[in-house]
Amino acid sequence: MKYQPLIVDSDYRVLAVTPERKHLLWLVEGECDCQLVLGVHELSKEDLADLLAHPWNWSYKPSSMQNNLVKSPNDNVKERSLMLQNKLWAYYDVLTIINYARVRVSPVVNQQDLVYLEKERQARQVRFGITDDCQMVRDYADFANCTLTQAAEQILFKAELARDTYANTERLRMEYLRDLRKCNTLDEIKQLKDKMFRESWLNVLL
């Protein structure tokens, strides 16, 4: 058996499909008359491809615990399905834009963000003349071949840049997702995506 997160309407027509449940949760929160369910199936590769490409061709059987996906083409929900699928793809675009913008300041090592916080704390102590608990700042100064004070100021400068990046990208993330929820037509989604990509390269990545 394979499992597939789905969004269905009140008649259990499949409207949207994605491998990751958390993304469908965002989508279903902004839609009325929809719910998130788990499709269970043993579909062939051809049928699975059709489910992913044309979800409106499928129905969900809530009374069945296995093989609860049935192919039953119905173009009455095609327009809404296309709208939700396009919103989902635009949602992925928002995540991609924000991730690219944060790549310079996002930790790549597990729990490195905690290390940066401790290093910043020690650097602030050095700024105020407290130097008895600042091993990370001393190590930084040794590797950067600079004084302890210079090392502390460099650490604090980098921390401020990171905070600015997170603040700016969080504002844009909330703005784009808010506007995406308001889209009611495919053209509105396209216009928003054009705006996102235009603004992201000019404002986020610089």
Side-chain angles (χ1 to χ4, degrees), residues 171-197:
R171 176 184 59 80
L172 288 173
R173 186 191 68 84
M174 292 190 295
E175 175 187 331
Y176 293 153
L177 292 182
R178 177 202 63 194
D179 294 345
L180 183 56
R181 284 199 188 280
K182 294 179 180 179
C183 290
N184 294 312
T185 67
L186 295 178
D187 186 60
E188 288 177 349
I189 294 176
K190 181 182 182 304
Q191 290 180 22
L192 176 60
K193 289 176 67 173
D194 290 343
K195 173 189 175 184
M196 289 191 310
F197 284 112

Side-chain angles (χ1 to χ4, degrees), residues 28-102:
V28 78
E29 284 174 358
E31 297 293 325
C32 61
D33 190 32
C34 285
Q35 61 179 310
L36 179 64
V37 299
L38 186 64
V40 183
H41 65 84
E42 290 181 337
L43 299 179
S44 66
K45 289 184 179 180
E46 292 75 14
D47 282 343
L48 181 58
D50 185 71
L51 172 67
L52 297 174
H54 312 105
W56 60 86
N57 283 341
W58 293 81
S59 293
Y60 170 78
K61 296 190 299 181
S63 60
S64 177
M65 295 300 295
Q66 54 185 340
N67 290 323
N68 55 21
L69 288 171
V70 179
K71 191 168 186 178
S72 54
N74 184 342
D75 283 344
N76 291 336
V77 296
K78 179 178 179 180
E79 183 176 349
R80 188 180 186 189
S81 177
L82 286 172
M83 172 69 68
L84 291 181
Q85 289 286 97
N86 275 271
K87 275 193 175 184
L88 189 59
W89 296 331
Y91 170 83
Y92 288 141
D93 288 335
V94 172
L95 299 187
T96 299
I97 286 171
I98 299 303
N99 284 335
Y100 272 123
R102 292 177 178 175

